[in-house]
Amino acid sequence: MSRGVAVETVEVYEDPLDLMDEIDALKRDRDVTILAHYYVDGEVQDVADFTGDSLKLARDATRVQTSTILFSGVHFMAETAKMLNPDKTVLLPDLLAGCSLAESCTAEALETRQDQLRAQGLDFQTVAYINTSAAVKSLCDWIVTSGNAREVIEDKVPSEKDILFVPDRHLGRYLQEVTGREMILWPGSCMVHEVFSLQDLNRARRNNPDAVVISHPECPRNILEVSDFIGGTEAMRREVVSVEAPTTFLVATEANMIHALEQSAPRHSFVPVPGIMASTGETCACNRCPHMALNTLAAVRDCLRDGTPEITWQPFFESAREVVTRSLLE
Ligand code: SF4
């Protein structure tokens, strides 16, 4: 009988400061601009030329002057950068950096649902949160972010039309409340925002009685109901900047957002709201997005050095770009 040999993978430690220097040099050498989402590690945000939420980064992507964009975020964000910059090379450090929310709504499933609703005689428009694949975007009438969703729904979706909102049911329910429009909701949710625990949030409030709770609208209703401020990541950042007196904020969104908040308003304290593990009911650090976490400094350096993985142009990017442009850029 042969005996298996266990092979241990040893990760070589690389000093973050050395990696940051390497990244700076490679960026200049390879003519690259780095865009980083607020949910990637703080040290990756620090080497980026632009940081922001999905809306800000989509707009920033149209202003890039270099021949290459490295998108430190997840797949649908890099696809958006590519569709807005067909002639540029767009790199993503790890093609496996997906999004549980985007994956809950495939193009095939959306087409089937749209056909069903049409067969029922419904006159509707499809509004998609930006956390969707380019293939899904190409099937939609409007793309929204948490930063502009209310405005798009109120100003652009004709009042006589029904609305199919995909894929985040929590954001969709919140938008129903703030716009007063009934919507058919897709049953998707974000694995990070879904797990915030009201019990732990209440405990954190008891420990910080003067704290202000700021939450992302992707959170479930019970979290939003006890929040003092609800908004996307860029709106959160603007909100804490606008508060003059040093304040403690309890933050219910991906924990790396705290880096961007600390950079923007260092006079405040920021406490992440803990999540709760669905399988065991235990408090966990699951308010970190595992997809965003694939954007390590080493992965960014390797991607710059090797010029891969690259987002390649797909035929449906053309129609997706039209929807993104009229929704977010006009
Ligand atoms: Fe997707 Fe949630 Fe991760 Fe954002 S935090 S990329 S919505 S899984």
Side-chain angles (χ1 to χ4, degrees), residues 37 39 73-74 76-77 98-102 129 131 168 189-193 218 253-254 288-292:
H37 193 273
Y39 289 169
V74 296
F76 75 81
M77 296 175 180
C99 166
S100 65
L101 190 49
Y129 189 29
N131 294 37
D168 190 314
S189 61
C190 158
M191 63 193 292
V192 176
H193 291 90
E218 286 175 25
T253 191
E254 215 278 353
R288 298 230 175 222
C289 174
H291 305 289
M292 291 284 185

Side-chain angles (χ1 to χ4, degrees), residues 35 54-55 57-59 61-62 69 71 74-86 90 130-134 137 143 311 313 317 320-321 324-325 328-329:
L35 274 58
S54 304
L55 175 59
L57 291 176
R59 289 175 173 161
T62 63
I69 293 172
F71 207 113
V74 296
H75 196 269
F76 75 81
M77 296 175 180
E79 277 188 326
T80 305
K82 179 66 183 178
M83 70 179 75
L84 296 174
N85 292 281
V90 175
I130 196 166
N131 294 37
T132 43
S133 67
K137 286 184 175 78
I143 305 299
I311 302 291
W313 182 265
F317 279 17
R321 176 174 53 182
V324 167
T325 302
L328 305 181
L329 306 176

Side-chain angles (χ1 to χ4, degrees), residues 148-159:
N148 79 340
R150 180 177 188 165
E151 193 187 313
V152 170
I153 290 166
E154 288 180 343
D155 298 349
K156 298 190 173 177
V157 183
S159 56

